[in-house]
Amino acid sequence: MPLYLNIDFVMGIVIAILVGPVLGSFLGMAVPRYQSGKGWGNRSKCDFCGKTLSISALIPILSFVVSRGKTQCCHRKLSIAYPLTELASLVMALICGMIYGASLSFALLLLINTLLLFQIRLDLEAGELSPEATFYLGCLGAVFVVVPLGLQFGWASLLGTEYGRLQLLYTLLDHIGAALILWGIGIFLYYGYSRWRGMEMIGGGDVKFLPVAGIFLGMPEAFLYVATVSVFHVLFVGGMRLGHGFNPDVFTKKQAPMGPALAIMLFVWIVGRDLMTDAPTILLSFPQLSL
């Protein structure tokens, strides 16, 4: 059975192409408004002259390309962060669409990806993570963990039989335990290791984010997640130092935030874990598929 004949796979790709860039475009508005404390109910306006943007100026990616990276109203240069956020949202949505197809897990991941990108961009621009976004990620993580169990055992069997309830309890204890362990690691790094080294290695927002990763991953993936985040962050800081002539001040929290490493590696582990296990993903459910 060719991939292009699988309706779930095709619909996952179509939804990703249509929705992914739109969610990225939403972040281009949401992140600045979160920093300024403004509401999200009003129409988008130009960053420079304040004029309300037309519909043609809000088309993800395409508007930036057609206008050559400038505003349509006052022709000022736009930040490259806008198309990059939209492109990143599209790529993440496509990856999830190809793996999960048009499914409930895919719908949840569209929301999860948006919150992860929100945290990445906010930390890069403001040197902080949103506690509200972290809380919502934790709630979505709990739902994302339970959904595969319901699909595997059936919701009636999962909640109505002793075996199903035991499986649910075991899974919840595993993921809650992983969250508590990662939270403990974060507290140690924040209050102990950072003070011992005399530098802020991790921020308060990062400490709150770590248990969210535990909720998503469980054990032992949570330990492996911390290890890969550390490697990714070291490479990131090394690149920052290289770009600034090895200035030691680049090691400060605001100039070398850990939020991007935490969010990116969480996404990698969420989708990568399902590809490496027997999770009911679209690609693993049809191992004989060919293009």
Side-chain angles (χ1 to χ4, degrees):
M1 179 181 177
L3 269 177
Y4 59 81
L5 293 180
N6 185 287
I7 187 63
D8 288 333
F9 181 85
V10 173
M11 287 303 299
I13 299 299
V14 172
I15 294 172
I17 293 174
L18 294 177
V19 177
V22 174
L23 293 175
S25 179
F26 166 76
L27 289 176
M29 173 273 295
V31 174
R33 292 194 184 187
Y34 177 84
Q35 295 183 65
S36 62
K38 297 180 180 178
W40 295 357
N42 300 324
R43 286 277 304 275
S44 297
K45 297 183 179 181
C46 175
D47 293 340
F48 304 101
C49 66
K51 183 178 180 180
T52 300
L53 298 179
S54 63
I55 299 299
S56 61
L58 298 174
I59 301 175
I61 302 175
L62 185 61
S63 295
F64 187 89
V65 174
V66 172
S67 64
R68 298 180 180 180
K70 296 182 180 180
T71 60
Q72 294 183 2
C73 48
C74 56
H75 305 290
R76 299 282 295 274
K77 187 175 181 180
L78 288 167
S79 170
I80 193 65
Y82 288 107
L84 288 180
T85 303
E86 295 163 358
L87 183 60
S89 181
L90 171 60
V91 171
M92 293 171 72
L94 280 173
I95 292 173
C96 295
M98 288 188 290
I99 295 174
Y100 297 90
S103 64
L104 179 56
S105 294
F106 175 49
L108 288 172
L109 276 170
L110 288 175
L111 298 176
I112 292 166
N113 293 346
T114 303
L115 289 171
L116 290 176
L117 281 173
F118 179 87
Q119 295 287 52
I120 290 172
R121 183 163 171 180
L122 181 63
D123 206 13
L124 287 173
E125 294 182 5
E128 63 175 338
L129 294 177
S130 164
E132 296 88 352
T134 298
F135 173 77
Y136 296 142
L137 275 170
C139 295
L140 287 172
V143 176
F144 187 77
V145 168
V146 173
V147 164
L149 290 176
L151 296 177
Q152 181 180 357
F153 296 99
W155 293 105
S157 297
L158 183 65
L159 301 175
T161 65
E162 183 178 358
Y163 178 75
R165 290 193 293 269
L166 285 175
Q167 289 296 318
L168 178 60
L169 178 61
Y170 172 78
T171 300
L172 292 176
L173 289 177
D174 175 42
H175 288 257
I176 292 174
L180 293 175
I181 291 173
L182 291 195
W183 186 44
I185 292 175
I187 291 176
F188 167 74
L189 292 175
Y190 185 70
Y191 289 103
Y193 185 78
S194 295
R195 293 185 179 182
W196 173 57
R197 291 293 302 274
M199 63 179 68
E200 188 177 0
M201 302 296 296
I202 186 172
D206 303 329
V207 175
K208 297 175 183 176
F209 190 95
L210 280 171
V212 169
I215 293 175
F216 273 99
L217 301 178
M219 299 298 293
E221 287 86 352
F223 282 129
L224 299 174
Y225 165 77
V226 172
T228 53
V229 165
S230 301
V231 173
F232 188 94
H233 186 60
V234 168
L235 294 175
F236 177 73
V237 171
M240 293 285 291
R241 289 201 66 187
L242 181 63
H244 289 77
F246 293 97
N247 184 353
D249 291 336
V250 176
F251 274 99
T252 62
K253 174 70 175 65
K254 188 173 182 179
Q255 292 172 299
M258 186 174 284
L262 292 169
I264 291 172
M265 294 313 301
L266 179 56
F267 172 78
V268 170
W269 270 102
I270 290 173
V271 299
R273 177 195 55 189
D274 283 353
L275 285 175
M276 293 184 292
T277 64
D278 58 351
T281 62
I282 188 66
L283 294 182
L284 294 175
S285 298
F286 301 90
Q288 304 301 321
L289 288 177
S290 61
L291 292 172

